Coordinates of all heavy atoms in Angstrom, one line a residue:
E264 N 96.7 -15.4 -115.6 CA 96.7 -16.6 -116.4 C 98.1 -17.2 -116.4 O 99.1 -16.5 -116.7 CB 96.4 -16.2 -117.9 CG 95.5 -17.2 -118.7 CD 94.3 -17.8 -117.9 OE1 93.3 -17.2 -118.0 OE2 94.5 -18.9 -117.3
M265 N 98.3 -18.4 -116.0 CA 99.6 -19.0 -115.9 C 100.0 -19.6 -117.2 O 99.9 -20.8 -117.4 CB 99.7 -20.0 -114.8 CG 99.7 -19.4 -113.4 SD 99.8 -20.6 -112.1 CE 100.9 -21.9 -112.7
A266 N 100.3 -18.8 -118.2 CA 100.7 -19.4 -119.5 C 102.2 -19.9 -119.4 O 103.1 -19.1 -119.2 CB 100.6 -18.3 -120.5
G267 N 102.3 -21.2 -119.4 CA 103.7 -21.8 -119.4 C 104.4 -21.4 -118.1 O 104.9 -20.3 -117.9
S268 N 104.3 -22.3 -117.1 CA 104.9 -22.0 -115.8 C 106.4 -22.0 -115.9 O 107.1 -21.9 -114.9 CB 104.5 -23.1 -114.8 OG 104.7 -24.4 -115.4
G269 N 107.0 -22.1 -117.1 CA 108.4 -22.1 -117.2 C 109.0 -23.5 -116.8 O 110.2 -23.7 -116.9
M270 N 108.2 -24.4 -116.4 CA 108.7 -25.7 -116.0 C 108.6 -26.6 -117.2 O 107.5 -27.1 -117.6 CB 107.8 -26.3 -114.9 CG 108.6 -27.3 -114.0 SD 107.6 -27.9 -112.6 CE 106.7 -29.2 -113.4
A271 N 109.8 -26.9 -117.8 CA 109.8 -27.9 -118.9 C 109.6 -29.3 -118.4 O 109.9 -29.6 -117.3 CB 111.2 -27.8 -119.6
M272 N 108.9 -30.1 -119.2 CA 108.7 -31.5 -118.9 C 110.1 -32.2 -118.9 O 110.8 -32.0 -119.9 CB 107.8 -32.1 -119.9 CG 106.3 -31.8 -119.8 SD 105.6 -32.2 -118.2 CE 106.0 -33.9 -118.0
A273 N 110.3 -33.0 -117.9 CA 111.5 -33.9 -117.9 C 111.1 -35.1 -118.8 O 110.0 -35.5 -118.9 CB 111.8 -34.3 -116.5
A274 N 112.1 -35.6 -119.4 CA 111.9 -36.8 -120.2 C 111.6 -37.9 -119.3 O 112.1 -38.1 -118.2 CB 113.2 -37.1 -121.0
L275 N 110.6 -38.8 -119.7 CA 110.2 -39.9 -118.9 C 111.2 -41.0 -119.1 O 111.9 -41.1 -120.1 CB 108.8 -40.3 -119.3 CG 107.7 -39.3 -119.1 CD1 106.4 -39.7 -119.8 CD2 107.4 -39.0 -117.7
A276 N 111.2 -42.0 -118.2 CA 112.1 -43.1 -118.2 C 111.8 -44.0 -119.5 O 110.6 -44.0 -119.9 CB 112.0 -43.9 -117.0
K277 N 112.8 -44.7 -119.9 CA 112.6 -45.5 -121.1 C 111.6 -46.7 -120.8 O 111.0 -47.2 -121.8 CB 113.9 -46.2 -121.5 CG 115.0 -45.2 -121.9 CD 115.5 -45.4 -123.3 CE 116.6 -44.4 -123.7 NZ 116.2 -43.0 -123.7
S278 N 111.4 -47.0 -119.6 CA 110.5 -48.1 -119.2 C 109.0 -47.7 -119.3 O 108.2 -48.6 -119.2 CB 110.8 -48.5 -117.7 OG 110.7 -47.4 -116.9
V279 N 108.7 -46.4 -119.5 CA 107.4 -46.0 -119.6 C 106.8 -46.4 -121.0 O 107.4 -46.1 -122.0 CB 107.2 -44.4 -119.4 CG1 105.8 -44.0 -119.7 CG2 107.7 -44.0 -118.0
R280 N 105.7 -47.1 -121.0 CA 105.1 -47.6 -122.2 C 103.8 -46.9 -122.6 O 103.4 -46.9 -123.7 CB 104.7 -49.1 -122.0 CG 105.9 -50.0 -121.8 CD 106.7 -50.2 -123.1 NE 107.8 -51.1 -122.9 CZ 109.1 -50.7 -122.8 NH1 109.4 -49.4 -122.9 NH2 110.1 -51.5 -122.7
E281 N 103.1 -46.3 -121.6 CA 101.9 -45.6 -121.9 C 101.5 -44.7 -120.7 O 101.8 -44.9 -119.6 CB 100.8 -46.7 -122.0 CG 99.4 -46.1 -122.4 CD 98.4 -47.2 -122.4 OE1 98.2 -47.9 -123.5 OE2 97.7 -47.5 -121.4
V282 N 100.9 -43.5 -121.1 CA 100.4 -42.6 -120.1 C 98.9 -42.4 -120.3 O 98.5 -42.2 -121.4 CB 101.1 -41.2 -120.2 CG1 100.5 -40.2 -119.2 CG2 102.6 -41.4 -119.9
R283 N 98.1 -42.6 -119.2 CA 96.7 -42.4 -119.4 C 96.2 -41.3 -118.4 O 96.6 -41.4 -117.2 CB 95.9 -43.7 -119.1 CG 96.1 -44.8 -120.1 CD 95.1 -45.9 -120.0 NE 95.0 -46.5 -118.7 CZ 95.8 -47.5 -118.3 NH1 96.7 -48.0 -119.1 NH2 95.6 -48.0 -117.1
V284 N 95.4 -40.4 -118.8 CA 94.8 -39.4 -118.0 C 93.3 -39.6 -118.0 O 92.7 -39.5 -119.1 CB 95.2 -38.0 -118.4 CG1 94.6 -36.9 -117.5 CG2 96.7 -37.8 -118.5
L285 N 92.7 -39.8 -116.9 CA 91.3 -39.9 -116.8 C 90.7 -38.7 -116.1 O 91.1 -38.3 -115.0 CB 90.9 -41.1 -115.9 CG 90.8 -42.5 -116.6 CD1 90.2 -43.5 -115.6 CD2 89.9 -42.4 -117.9
L286 N 89.9 -38.0 -116.8 CA 89.3 -36.7 -116.3 C 87.8 -36.9 -116.0 O 87.1 -37.7 -116.7 CB 89.5 -35.6 -117.3 CG 90.9 -35.3 -117.8 CD1 90.9 -34.4 -119.0 CD2 91.7 -34.8 -116.7
C287 N 87.3 -36.2 -115.0 CA 85.9 -36.2 -114.8 C 85.4 -34.9 -115.4 O 86.1 -34.0 -115.8 CB 85.5 -36.3 -113.4 SG 85.9 -34.9 -112.4
K288 N 84.1 -34.7 -115.5 CA 83.5 -33.5 -116.1 C 83.4 -32.3 -115.2 O 83.0 -31.2 -115.5 CB 82.2 -33.8 -116.7 CG 82.3 -34.8 -117.9 CD 81.0 -35.0 -118.7 CE 81.1 -36.0 -119.8 NZ 82.1 -35.7 -120.8
G289 N 83.7 -32.5 -113.9 CA 83.6 -31.5 -112.9 C 84.8 -30.6 -112.7 O 85.8 -30.8 -113.4
P290 N 84.8 -29.7 -111.8 CA 85.9 -28.7 -111.6 C 87.1 -29.4 -111.0 O 88.2 -28.8 -111.1 CB 85.3 -27.7 -110.6 CG 84.1 -28.4 -109.9 CD 83.6 -29.4 -111.0
S291 N 87.0 -30.6 -110.4 CA 88.2 -31.2 -109.8 C 89.2 -31.6 -110.9 O 90.4 -31.9 -110.6 CB 87.8 -32.4 -109.0 OG 87.2 -33.4 -109.8
S292 N 88.8 -31.6 -112.2 CA 89.8 -32.0 -113.3 C 90.4 -30.7 -113.9 O 91.2 -30.9 -114.9 CB 89.0 -32.8 -114.3 OG 88.9 -34.1 -113.9
E293 N 90.0 -29.5 -113.5 CA 90.5 -28.3 -114.2 C 92.0 -28.3 -114.4 O 92.5 -28.0 -115.5 CB 90.0 -27.1 -113.5 CG 88.5 -26.7 -113.8 CD 88.1 -26.8 -115.3 OE1 88.8 -26.1 -116.1 OE2 87.1 -27.5 -115.6
G294 N 92.7 -28.5 -113.3 CA 94.2 -28.4 -113.4 C 94.8 -29.5 -114.3 O 95.7 -29.2 -115.1
A295 N 94.2 -30.7 -114.3 CA 94.6 -31.8 -115.1 C 94.4 -31.5 -116.6 O 95.2 -31.8 -117.5 CB 94.0 -33.1 -114.7
K296 N 93.2 -30.9 -116.9 CA 92.9 -30.5 -118.2 C 93.8 -29.5 -118.8 O 94.3 -29.6 -119.9 CB 91.4 -29.9 -118.3 CG 90.4 -31.0 -118.4 CD 89.0 -30.3 -118.4 CE 87.9 -31.3 -118.0 NZ 86.6 -30.7 -117.8
Q297 N 94.1 -28.5 -117.9 CA 95.1 -27.5 -118.3 C 96.5 -28.1 -118.5 O 97.2 -27.7 -119.5 CB 95.2 -26.4 -117.1 CG 95.7 -25.1 -117.6 CD 95.7 -24.1 -116.4 OE1 95.0 -24.2 -115.5 NE2 96.7 -23.2 -116.5
F298 N 96.9 -29.0 -117.7 CA 98.1 -29.7 -117.9 C 98.2 -30.4 -119.3 O 99.2 -30.2 -120.0 CB 98.3 -30.8 -116.8 CG 99.4 -31.8 -117.1 CD1 100.7 -31.4 -117.0 CD2 99.1 -33.1 -117.6 CE1 101.7 -32.4 -117.3 CE2 100.1 -34.0 -117.9 CZ 101.4 -33.6 -117.7
V299 N 97.1 -31.1 -119.7 CA 97.0 -31.8 -121.0 C 97.2 -30.7 -122.1 O 97.9 -30.9 -123.0 CB 95.8 -32.6 -121.1 CG1 95.6 -33.1 -122.5 CG2 95.8 -33.8 -120.1
V300 N 96.4 -29.6 -122.0 CA 96.4 -28.6 -123.0 C 97.8 -28.0 -123.1 O 98.3 -27.8 -124.3 CB 95.4 -27.5 -122.7 CG1 95.6 -26.3 -123.5 CG2 94.0 -28.0 -122.8
E301 N 98.5 -27.7 -122.0 CA 99.8 -27.1 -122.0 C 100.9 -28.0 -122.4 O 101.9 -27.6 -123.0 CB 100.1 -26.5 -120.7 CG 99.2 -25.2 -120.3 CD 99.5 -24.7 -118.9 OE1 100.4 -25.2 -118.2 OE2 98.8 -23.8 -118.5
K302 N 100.8 -29.3 -122.0 CA 102.0 -30.1 -122.1 C 101.9 -31.3 -123.1 O 102.9 -31.9 -123.3 CB 102.3 -30.7 -120.7 CG 102.7 -29.7 -119.6 CD 103.9 -28.9 -120.0 CE 104.3 -27.9 -118.9 NZ 105.5 -27.1 -119.3
Y303 N 100.8 -31.5 -123.6 CA 100.6 -32.7 -124.5 C 101.6 -32.6 -125.7 O 102.3 -33.6 -125.9 CB 99.2 -32.7 -125.1 CG 98.9 -33.9 -126.0 CD1 98.6 -35.2 -125.5 CD2 99.1 -33.7 -127.4 CE1 98.5 -36.2 -126.3 CE2 98.9 -34.8 -128.2 CZ 98.6 -36.1 -127.7 OH 98.4 -37.1 -128.6
A304 N 101.7 -31.5 -126.3 CA 102.6 -31.3 -127.5 C 104.1 -31.6 -127.1 O 104.8 -32.2 -127.8 CB 102.4 -30.0 -128.2
E305 N 104.4 -31.0 -125.9 CA 105.8 -31.1 -125.4 C 106.1 -32.6 -125.1 O 107.2 -33.1 -125.5 CB 105.9 -30.3 -124.2 CG 107.3 -30.0 -123.8 CD 107.4 -29.1 -122.6 OE1 106.5 -28.3 -122.3 OE2 108.5 -29.2 -121.9
I306 N 105.2 -33.3 -124.5 CA 105.4 -34.7 -124.2 C 105.5 -35.6 -125.5 O 106.4 -36.4 -125.6 CB 104.3 -35.3 -123.3 CG1 104.4 -34.6 -121.9 CG2 104.4 -36.8 -123.1 CD1 103.2 -34.8 -121.0
K307 N 104.6 -35.3 -126.4 CA 104.7 -36.0 -127.7 C 106.0 -35.7 -128.5 O 106.5 -36.6 -129.2 CB 103.5 -35.7 -128.6 CG 102.2 -36.3 -128.1 CD 102.2 -37.8 -127.8 CE 102.0 -38.6 -129.1 NZ 101.9 -40.1 -128.8
K308 N 106.5 -34.5 -128.3 CA 107.8 -34.2 -129.0 C 108.9 -35.0 -128.3 O 109.8 -35.5 -129.0 CB 108.0 -32.7 -128.9 CG 108.9 -32.2 -130.0 CD 108.8 -30.7 -130.1 CE 109.8 -29.9 -129.3 NZ 109.7 -28.4 -129.4
L309 N 108.9 -35.1 -127.0 CA 109.9 -35.8 -126.3 C 109.8 -37.3 -126.5 O 110.8 -38.0 -126.5 CB 109.8 -35.5 -124.8 CG 110.3 -34.2 -124.2 CD1 109.9 -34.0 -122.8 CD2 111.8 -34.1 -124.4
H310 N 108.6 -37.8 -126.7 CA 108.3 -39.2 -126.7 C 107.3 -39.5 -127.9 O 106.1 -39.8 -127.6 CB 107.7 -39.7 -125.4 CG 108.6 -39.4 -124.2 ND1 109.7 -40.1 -123.9 CD2 108.5 -38.4 -123.3 CE1 110.2 -39.6 -122.8 NE2 109.5 -38.6 -122.4
P311 N 107.7 -39.4 -129.1 CA 106.8 -39.5 -130.3 C 106.1 -40.8 -130.3 O 104.9 -40.9 -130.8 CB 107.6 -39.3 -131.5 CG 109.0 -39.0 -131.0 CD 109.1 -39.0 -129.6
Q312 N 106.7 -41.9 -129.8 CA 106.1 -43.2 -129.9 C 105.2 -43.6 -128.7 O 104.6 -44.6 -128.7 CB 107.2 -44.3 -129.9 CG 108.2 -44.1 -131.1 CD 107.6 -44.0 -132.4 OE1 106.7 -44.8 -132.8 NE2 108.0 -43.1 -133.3
L313 N 105.2 -42.7 -127.7 CA 104.5 -43.0 -126.4 C 103.0 -42.8 -126.6 O 102.6 -41.6 -126.9 CB 105.1 -42.2 -125.3 CG 104.5 -42.4 -123.9 CD1 104.9 -43.7 -123.4 CD2 104.9 -41.3 -123.0
P314 N 102.2 -43.8 -126.3 CA 100.7 -43.5 -126.3 C 100.4 -42.7 -125.1 O 100.8 -43.0 -124.0 CB 100.1 -44.9 -126.1 CG 101.2 -45.9 -126.5 CD 102.5 -45.2 -126.1
F315 N 99.7 -41.5 -125.4 CA 99.3 -40.6 -124.3 C 97.8 -40.5 -124.5 O 97.3 -39.8 -125.3 CB 100.0 -39.3 -124.5 CG 99.9 -38.3 -123.3 CD1 100.9 -38.2 -122.4 CD2 98.7 -37.5 -123.2 CE1 100.7 -37.3 -121.3 CE2 98.6 -36.7 -122.2 CZ 99.5 -36.5 -121.2
L316 N 97.1 -41.2 -123.6 CA 95.6 -41.3 -123.8 C 94.9 -40.4 -122.8 O 95.2 -40.4 -121.6 CB 95.2 -42.7 -123.6 CG 96.0 -43.8 -124.4 CD1 95.5 -45.2 -124.0 CD2 95.8 -43.6 -125.9
V317 N 93.9 -39.6 -123.3 CA 93.1 -38.8 -122.4 C 91.7 -39.2 -122.6 O 91.2 -39.2 -123.7 CB 93.4 -37.3 -122.7 CG1 92.5 -36.4 -121.8 CG2 94.8 -36.9 -122.7
R318 N 91.0 -39.5 -121.5 CA 89.6 -39.8 -121.5 C 88.9 -38.9 -120.5 O 89.4 -38.7 -119.4 CB 89.4 -41.3 -121.1 CG 90.1 -42.3 -122.0 CD 89.2 -42.7 -123.1 NE 89.9 -43.7 -123.9 CZ 90.8 -43.5 -124.8 NH1 91.2 -42.2 -125.1 NH2 91.3 -44.4 -125.6
E319 N 87.7 -38.5 -120.9 CA 86.8 -37.8 -120.0 C 85.6 -38.5 -119.7 O 84.9 -39.0 -120.7 CB 86.5 -36.4 -120.6 CG 85.9 -35.4 -119.6 CD 85.8 -34.0 -120.1 OE1 85.8 -33.8 -121.3 OE2 85.7 -33.1 -119.3
M320 N 85.2 -38.8 -118.5 CA 84.1 -39.6 -118.1 C 83.3 -38.9 -117.0 O 84.0 -38.2 -116.2 CB 84.5 -41.0 -117.7 CG 85.0 -41.8 -118.9 SD 86.2 -43.0 -118.3 CE 85.2 -44.3 -117.8
A321 N 82.0 -39.1 -116.9 CA 81.3 -38.6 -115.8 C 81.4 -39.4 -114.5 O 81.5 -40.7 -114.7 CB 79.8 -38.5 -116.2
G322 N 81.5 -38.8 -113.4 CA 81.4 -39.5 -112.1 C 82.6 -40.4 -111.8 O 82.4 -41.5 -111.2
I323 N 83.8 -40.0 -112.2 CA 85.0 -40.8 -111.8 C 85.9 -39.9 -111.1 O 85.8 -38.7 -111.1 CB 85.7 -41.3 -113.1 CG1 86.1 -40.2 -114.0 CG2 84.9 -42.4 -113.7 CD1 87.4 -40.4 -114.7
E324 N 86.9 -40.5 -110.4 CA 88.0 -39.8 -109.8 C 89.1 -39.5 -110.9 O 89.5 -40.4 -111.5 CB 88.7 -40.7 -108.7 CG 87.9 -40.7 -107.4 CD 88.4 -39.7 -106.4 OE1 88.7 -38.5 -106.9 OE2 88.4 -40.0 -105.3
P325 N 89.5 -38.2 -111.0 CA 90.5 -38.0 -112.0 C 91.8 -38.7 -111.6 O 92.3 -38.5 -110.4 CB 90.7 -36.4 -111.9 CG 89.4 -35.9 -111.3 CD 89.0 -37.0 -110.4
T326 N 92.4 -39.4 -112.5 CA 93.6 -40.2 -112.2 C 94.6 -40.0 -113.3 O 94.3 -39.8 -114.5 CB 93.4 -41.7 -112.0 OG1 92.7 -42.2 -113.1 CG2 92.5 -41.9 -110.7
L327 N 95.9 -40.3 -112.9 CA 97.0 -40.3 -113.9 C 97.6 -41.7 -113.7 O 98.0 -42.1 -112.6 CB 98.0 -39.3 -113.5 CG 99.4 -39.3 -114.3 CD1 99.2 -38.9 -115.7 CD2 100.3 -38.3 -113.6
T328 N 97.7 -42.5 -114.8 CA 98.3 -43.8 -114.8 C 99.4 -43.9 -115.8 O 99.3 -43.5 -116.9 CB 97.2 -44.9 -115.1 OG1 96.1 -44.8 -114.2 CG2 97.8 -46.3 -115.1
V329 N 100.5 -44.5 -115.3 CA 101.7 -44.7 -116.1 C 101.9 -46.2 -116.2 O 102.0 -46.9 -115.1 CB 102.9 -44.0 -115.5 CG1 104.2 -44.4 -116.3 CG2 102.8 -42.5 -115.5
R330 N 101.9 -46.8 -117.4 CA 102.2 -48.2 -117.6 C 103.7 -48.4 -117.9 O 104.2 -47.7 -118.9 CB 101.3 -48.8 -118.6 CG 101.5 -50.3 -118.7 CD 100.3 -51.0 -119.5 NE 100.2 -50.5 -120.8 CZ 101.0 -50.9 -121.9 NH1 101.9 -51.7 -121.7 NH2 100.8 -50.3 -123.1
L331 N 104.3 -49.2 -117.1 CA 105.8 -49.5 -117.3 C 105.9 -50.8 -118.0 O 105.0 -51.6 -118.2 CB 106.5 -49.4 -116.0 CG 106.3 -48.1 -115.2 CD1 106.8 -48.3 -113.8 CD2 107.0 -47.0 -115.9
E332 N 107.2 -51.1 -118.4 CA 107.4 -52.4 -119.0 C 107.0 -53.5 -118.0 O 106.9 -53.3 -116.8 CB 108.9 -52.6 -119.4 CG 109.9 -52.3 -118.3 CD 111.3 -52.1 -118.8 OE1 111.5 -52.2 -120.0 OE2 112.2 -51.7 -118.0
H333 N 106.8 -54.7 -118.5 CA 106.4 -55.9 -117.7 C 104.9 -55.7 -117.1 O 104.6 -56.3 -116.2 CB 107.3 -56.2 -116.5 CG 108.8 -56.3 -117.0 ND1 109.2 -57.1 -118.0 CD2 109.8 -55.6 -116.5 CE1 110.5 -56.9 -118.1 NE2 110.9 -56.0 -117.3
G334 N 104.2 -54.8 -117.7 CA 102.8 -54.6 -117.4 C 102.5 -53.9 -116.0 O 101.4 -53.9 -115.5
I335 N 103.6 -53.3 -115.4 CA 103.4 -52.7 -114.2 C 102.7 -51.3 -114.4 O 103.1 -50.6 -115.3 CB 104.8 -52.4 -113.5 CG1 105.5 -53.8 -113.2 CG2 104.7 -51.6 -112.2 CD1 107.0 -53.7 -112.9
E336 N 101.7 -51.1 -113.6 CA 101.0 -49.8 -113.7 C 101.1 -49.0 -112.3 O 101.0 -49.6 -111.3 CB 99.6 -50.0 -114.1 CG 99.4 -50.6 -115.4 CD 98.0 -50.3 -116.1 OE1 97.1 -49.9 -115.3 OE2 97.9 -50.4 -117.3
K337 N 101.3 -47.7 -112.4 CA 101.3 -46.9 -111.2 C 100.3 -45.8 -111.5 O 100.3 -45.1 -112.5 CB 102.7 -46.3 -111.0 CG 103.7 -47.3 -110.7 CD 105.0 -46.7 -110.1 CE 105.9 -46.1 -111.1 NZ 107.2 -45.7 -110.6
T338 N 99.4 -45.6 -110.5 CA 98.3 -44.6 -110.6 C 98.4 -43.6 -109.5 O 98.6 -44.0 -108.3 CB 97.0 -45.3 -110.7 OG1 96.9 -46.2 -111.8 CG2 95.8 -44.3 -110.8
A339 N 98.1 -42.3 -109.8 CA 98.0 -41.3 -108.8 C 96.7 -40.6 -109.0 O 96.2 -40.4 -110.1 CB 99.1 -40.3 -108.9
L340 N 96.0 -40.2 -107.9 CA 94.8 -39.3 -107.9 C 95.3 -37.9 -108.2 O 96.2 -37.4 -107.6 CB 94.1 -39.4 -106.6 CG 93.4 -40.7 -106.3 CD1 92.8 -40.7 -104.9 CD2 92.3 -41.1 -107.3
I341 N 94.6 -37.3 -109.2 CA 95.0 -35.9 -109.5 C 93.9 -34.9 -109.4 O 93.9 -33.8 -109.9 CB 95.6 -35.9 -111.0 CG1 94.6 -36.5 -112.0 CG2 96.9 -36.6 -111.0 CD1 95.0 -36.3 -113.4
A342 N 92.8 -35.3 -108.6 CA 91.7 -34.4 -108.4 C 92.2 -33.1 -107.7 O 92.9 -33.2 -106.7 CB 90.6 -35.0 -107.6
G343 N 91.8 -32.0 -108.2 CA 92.1 -30.7 -107.5 C 93.5 -30.2 -107.6 O 93.9 -29.2 -107.0
L344 N 94.4 -30.9 -108.4 CA 95.8 -30.5 -108.5 C 95.9 -29.4 -109.6 O 95.2 -29.3 -110.5 CB 96.7 -31.7 -108.9 CG 96.8 -32.9 -107.9 CD1 97.8 -33.8 -108.4 CD2 97.1 -32.4 -106.5
K345 N 96.9 -28.6 -109.4 CA 97.3 -27.6 -110.4 C 98.1 -28.3 -111.5 O 98.6 -29.3 -111.3 CB 98.2 -26.5 -109.7 CG 97.6 -25.7 -108.6 CD 98.6 -24.6 -108.2 CE 98.1 -23.9 -107.0 NZ 98.5 -24.6 -105.7
P346 N 98.1 -27.6 -112.7 CA 98.9 -28.2 -113.8 C 100.3 -28.6 -113.4 O 100.8 -29.7 -113.8 CB 98.9 -27.2 -114.9 CG 97.7 -26.4 -114.6 CD 97.5 -26.4 -113.1
T347 N 101.0 -27.7 -112.6 CA 102.4 -28.0 -112.3 C 102.5 -29.2 -111.3 O 103.4 -30.0 -111.4 CB 103.0 -26.8 -111.5 OG1 102.1 -26.4 -110.5 CG2 103.3 -25.7 -112.5
E348 N 101.4 -29.4 -110.5 CA 101.4 -30.6 -109.6 C 101.2 -31.9 -110.4 O 101.7 -32.9 -110.0 CB 100.4 -30.4 -108.5 CG 100.7 -29.2 -107.6 CD 99.5 -28.8 -106.7 OE1 98.4 -28.9 -107.1 OE2 99.8 -28.4 -105.5
V349 N 100.3 -31.8 -111.4 CA 100.1 -33.0 -112.3 C 101.4 -33.3 -113.0 O 101.8 -34.5 -113.1 CB 99.0 -32.7 -113.3 CG1 98.8 -33.9 -114.2 CG2 97.7 -32.4 -112.6
A350 N 102.1 -32.3 -113.5 CA 103.4 -32.6 -114.1 C 104.4 -33.2 -113.2 O 105.1 -34.2 -113.6 CB 104.0 -31.2 -114.6
K351 N 104.4 -32.8 -111.9 CA 105.3 -33.4 -110.9 C 104.9 -34.9 -110.7 O 105.8 -35.7 -110.5 CB 105.2 -32.6 -109.6 CG 106.4 -32.6 -108.8 CD 106.5 -31.3 -107.9 CE 106.2 -31.7 -106.5 NZ 106.1 -30.5 -105.6
K352 N 103.6 -35.1 -110.6 CA 103.1 -36.5 -110.4 C 103.6 -37.4 -111.6 O 104.1 -38.5 -111.4 CB 101.6 -36.6 -110.3 CG 101.0 -36.2 -109.0 CD 101.0 -37.3 -108.0 CE 100.4 -36.8 -106.7 NZ 101.2 -37.2 -105.5
L353 N 103.5 -36.9 -112.8 CA 103.9 -37.6 -114.0 C 105.4 -37.9 -113.9 O 105.8 -39.0 -114.2 CB 103.5 -36.9 -115.3 CG 104.0 -37.6 -116.6 CD1 103.4 -39.0 -116.7 CD2 103.6 -36.7 -117.8
A354 N 106.2 -36.9 -113.5 CA 107.6 -37.1 -113.4 C 107.9 -38.2 -112.3 O 108.8 -39.0 -112.5 CB 108.3 -35.8 -113.0
E355 N 107.2 -38.1 -111.2 CA 107.4 -39.1 -110.1 C 107.1 -40.5 -110.6 O 107.9 -41.5 -110.5 CB 106.5 -38.8 -108.9 CG 107.0 -37.7 -108.0 CD 105.9 -37.3 -107.0 OE1 105.0 -38.0 -106.7 OE2 106.0 -36.1 -106.5
L356 N 105.9 -40.7 -111.2 CA 105.4 -42.0 -111.7 C 106.3 -42.5 -112.8 O 106.5 -43.7 -112.9 CB 104.0 -42.0 -112.2 CG 102.9 -41.7 -111.1 CD1 101.5 -41.7 -111.8 CD2 102.9 -42.6 -110.0
G357 N 106.8 -41.6 -113.7 CA 107.5 -42.0 -114.9 C 109.0 -42.0 -114.8 O 109.7 -42.0 -115.8
S358 N 109.5 -41.9 -113.5 CA 111.0 -41.8 -113.4 C 111.7 -43.1 -113.1 O 112.9 -43.1 -113.2 CB 111.3 -40.8 -112.3 OG 110.8 -41.3 -111.0
K359 N 110.9 -44.1 -112.8 CA 111.6 -45.4 -112.4 C 111.7 -46.3 -113.7 O 110.8 -46.4 -114.4 CB 110.8 -46.1 -111.4 CG 110.4 -45.3 -110.2 CD 111.5 -45.3 -109.1 CE 111.2 -44.4 -107.9 NZ 111.0 -43.0 -108.2

């Protein structure tokens, strides 16, 4: 069991306005679900005002979307990723 990979969440850029995680009900979302379970509290602590939305729907591609200022959105596919890889994607999308 990978309880806390020891990788702390980096603070997201000030330009990040919202984070959305879309999960599907199948096994391809397992890593993303684990990421949410492990890191949600930590992210909310770092960014108490940041909307962090998680939705689970049938028959969709698991995605991670970061909305930046000026309505710019960046999305990454997160199907089959490990929790640490989802964290890395979030850091990439949320660093600009």
Side-chain angles (χ1 to χ4, degrees):
E264 218 44 88
M265 286 183 36
S268 50
M270 203 177 89
M272 285 301 306
L275 299 168
K277 299 239 182 298
S278 57
V279 176
R280 296 286 180 257
E281 182 183 273
V282 174
R283 291 196 306 273
V284 182
L285 275 185
L286 304 168
C287 72
K288 294 190 184 297
S291 64
S292 281
E293 281 312 308
K296 278 181 199 167
Q297 201 180 332
F298 165 78
V299 171
V300 168
E301 288 177 4
K302 296 299 184 186
Y303 181 83
E305 197 177 335
I306 292 167
K307 288 306 278 187
K308 204 160 93 182
L309 284 170
H310 306 280
Q312 305 304 317
L313 182 70
F315 189 99
L316 312 175
V317 181
R318 300 271 181 278
E319 192 171 21
M320 293 148 84
I323 57 146
E324 280 269 36
T326 57
L327 171 67
T328 301
V329 172
R330 186 164 58 80
L331 303 167
E332 55 196 355
H333 312 304
I335 297 163
E336 294 204 345
K337 296 196 280 187
T338 300
L340 290 175
I341 53 172
L344 295 187
K345 296 187 190 82
T347 50
E348 294 168 326
V349 178
K351 212 154 102 185
K352 283 276 182 227
L353 179 57
E355 282 168 22
L356 295 180
S358 63
K359 309 270 178 308

